[in-house]
Amino acid sequence: MRLFRTYKKPVKLELATSLLLIFSTLLALFIYNSPLRGIYKHVFNRIYITPNFSLHMFINDFLMAIFFLVAGLEIKHEILYGNLSSLKKASFPIIASIGGVTVPALIYFIFNKNTPLINGICIPISTDIAFAIGLFLLFRNKLNPSLKIFLLSLAVVDDLISIAAIGLIYSLDIDLFYLIIGLLILITLCIANKIFNVESVTYYLIGGACLWYFIHLSGVHSTISGILLAIAVPSKPNIRNVSTLERLQKFLVPINSLLIIPLFAFANTGVSLSYDLTFSHAPTLSLGIILGLCIGKPLGIMLFSYISCLLKITEKPTYISWSSIFLVSLIAGIGFTMAIFVSEVAFIRDAALINIAKMSILCSAVISIFSTSIAIYIYSHMNNKSQRNSSIKPNKYHIS
């Protein structure tokens, strides 16, 4: 999950989001493994917004649609104006990201083919950039700041592939009547943008709420409505040189970063730490997730990017080295928020499998954080030693 770059957030907001995400996760784990578990489960599963729509569903289906809208706005901006706006800029992170999605999915498939667990194949394909940026900022004095550009570009493509996979794989039986109504609303919003030049943020938010409702009734996963709405939002600057897309981001990004992401983590990381810690009920599920994220992500990113450069399909940016790409690939193995979201969707009727999947995701996040920290320390130590031996004054950033 990404901290979105079009809206220029101060470093303090990025750090606050990462800290809130960690705090929410630890708090949920503590409460769920204490006498307060019953209250936790009652609040999220027995309190209803509407007769058939619990608070947990409200967070996972409605608030996460807003998260996907923010993701969609960032993806749209990057494609139109940013690091994905030209083939030369986009090719390297796109190929690296495809590798970072393909190899984890392949590892998971190898362990879980011909079993009901195959439905979780999308769990290890995503990167949690809220955690990743927090880790990046923690070591920012040892890393080249330009690495953040590559990390965020990688995440844009990663999000796009993950969102498409969720829409295609995890949608239920489709009701064409409601789907057609939803598509008509989308077309109306696009016409308002392209023909009538409607720039009202309120108009698109109300239209987006209607779009969400009918997409939800259609059986297509309702969070996809956020991406569809982003397509319709105007991106061209008005006479004040500010687009509707930017105004919508300025409004939604703080809400998304400081409320939706931490609340989602709190509502979905209630995991019993005493439950089957050996994962004996579904060992291949755990192996597929942990190996997919901790090994598959770095391996896929490095393998695809190196081979593509070797074959001259793309070219590595001059501002980053292969060692720094390896560090980014380790960070990308933190697949926390989106992975938990997918596990909830993939095993919606099996609480035991969801619990095992979440435990595996937590384990992989810890492994990725430790491996990244160790790798940064080793590279920094080697570079410092090399610079001392050659009598060259160390640069501010040890890893380029």
Side-chain angles (χ1 to χ4, degrees):
M1 298 287 183
R2 219 170 333 84
L3 295 178
F4 303 99
R5 182 156 40 94
T6 308
Y7 170 59
K8 303 296 184 182
K9 300 187 304 304
V11 171
K12 287 183 179 179
L13 181 57
E14 293 183 325
L15 283 171
T17 306
S18 300
L19 292 174
L20 279 172
L21 183 56
I22 295 170
F23 175 76
S24 300
T25 301
L26 295 176
L27 182 62
L29 288 171
F30 172 77
I31 291 175
Y32 202 83
N33 292 275
S34 75
L36 299 174
R37 178 190 298 191
I39 297 175
Y40 178 94
K41 294 174 73 174
H42 176 81
V43 168
F44 290 113
N45 298 314
R46 294 291 181 265
I47 294 179
Y48 287 86
I49 307 298
T50 66
N52 296 310
F53 206 66
S54 67
L55 180 59
H56 186 266
M57 293 173 66
F58 174 77
I59 294 169
N60 282 27
D61 289 355
F62 182 75
L63 293 185
M64 285 302 285
I66 299 175
F67 170 86
F68 277 71
L69 169 59
V70 180
L73 293 173
E74 174 67 7
I75 291 169
K76 182 173 182 175
H77 180 272
E78 290 299 314
I79 291 173
L80 293 175
Y81 310 112
N83 290 309
L84 303 178
S85 60
S86 69
L87 184 61
K88 183 177 181 180
K89 290 181 180 179
S91 59
F92 189 76
I94 284 176
I95 292 173
S97 185
I98 290 173
V101 168
T102 303
V103 176
L106 182 61
I107 289 174
Y108 186 93
F109 175 81
I110 291 171
F111 281 101
N112 296 284
K113 62 181 178 180
N114 301 322
T115 74
L117 302 177
I118 194 64
N119 204 39
I121 194 168
C122 293
I123 294 174
I125 70 174
S126 300
T127 298
D128 191 319
I129 299 301
F131 265 125
I133 290 296
L135 192 62
F136 184 93
L137 293 174
L138 182 65
F139 291 104
R140 62 186 180 274
N141 291 329
K142 297 179 181 296
L143 297 169
N144 184 340
S146 298
L147 277 177
K148 191 176 179 183
I149 298 173
F150 174 67
L151 180 60
L152 290 169
S153 300
L154 189 75
V156 170
V157 185
D158 188 290
D159 281 356
L160 186 58
I161 296 172
S162 300
I163 290 165
I166 290 169
L168 291 173
I169 296 175
Y170 299 117
S171 294
L172 304 175
D173 294 334
I174 307 300
D175 188 318
L176 288 178
F177 176 73
Y178 291 117
L179 181 60
I180 289 171
I181 294 177
L183 293 178
L184 288 175
I185 293 172
L186 177 62
I187 292 170
T188 302
L189 292 171
C190 290
I191 291 173
N193 173 10
K194 297 298 183 182
I195 297 178
F196 296 103
N197 298 317
V198 176
E199 297 181 347
S200 169
V201 169
T202 303
Y203 173 83
Y204 289 101
L205 288 177
I206 293 174
C210 296
L211 176 63
W212 175 88
Y213 179 72
F214 286 104
I215 293 294
H216 174 71
L217 292 179
S218 74
V220 175
H221 202 279
S222 53
T223 52
I224 301 303
S225 61
I227 293 294
L228 297 177
L229 178 59
I231 295 172
V233 172
S235 59
K236 291 183 179 179
N238 56 22
I239 56 175
R240 296 189 298 273
N241 202 33
V242 180
S243 68
T244 304
L245 184 150
E246 290 171 319
R247 287 189 289 131
L248 194 54
Q249 283 189 310
K250 187 175 182 179
F251 172 66
L252 290 178
V253 166
I255 296 173
N256 181 67
S257 299
L258 300 179
L259 176 63
I260 294 176
I261 293 176
L263 184 58
F264 172 83
F266 181 69
N268 288 278
T269 50
V271 179
S272 176
L273 298 179
S274 62
Y275 177 84
D276 193 16
L277 291 180
T278 61
F279 307 112
S280 59
H281 286 101
T284 56
L285 173 61
S286 301
L287 287 171
I289 293 172
I290 295 173
L291 295 181
L293 284 168
C294 298
I295 295 178
K297 270 285 183 182
L299 179 62
I301 290 170
M302 292 300 297
L303 191 63
F304 274 55
S305 56
Y306 181 76
I307 292 176
S308 64
C309 288
L310 198 63
L311 299 176
K312 300 190 182 302
I313 298 173
T314 186
E315 185 176 338
K316 179 179 68 65
T318 56
Y319 59 82
I320 53 177
S321 65
W322 284 112
S323 60
S324 60
I325 293 172
F326 175 67
L327 293 178
V328 169
S329 73
L330 291 176
I331 295 174
I334 306 172
F336 189 75
T337 310
M338 184 68 86
I340 288 176
F341 177 76
V342 175
S343 68
E344 287 274 348
V345 177
F347 304 122
I348 191 169
R349 294 178 179 86
D350 196 323
L353 289 181
I354 291 174
N355 196 91
I356 294 172
K358 288 180 180 180
M359 281 294 295
S360 303
I361 292 164
L362 288 169
C363 288
S364 65
V366 171
I367 293 170
S368 293
I369 290 170
F370 272 103
S371 61
T372 302
S373 303
I374 292 170
I376 290 174
Y377 173 80
I378 291 173
Y379 274 104
S380 179
H381 179 74
M382 290 175 61
N383 284 345
N384 285 336
K385 185 177 180 180
S386 175
Q387 289 169 347
R388 284 195 299 268
N389 291 339
S390 58
S391 300
I392 298 176
K393 185 179 180 181
N395 294 324
K396 180 182 178 182
Y397 303 107
H398 305 306
I399 304 173
S400 63

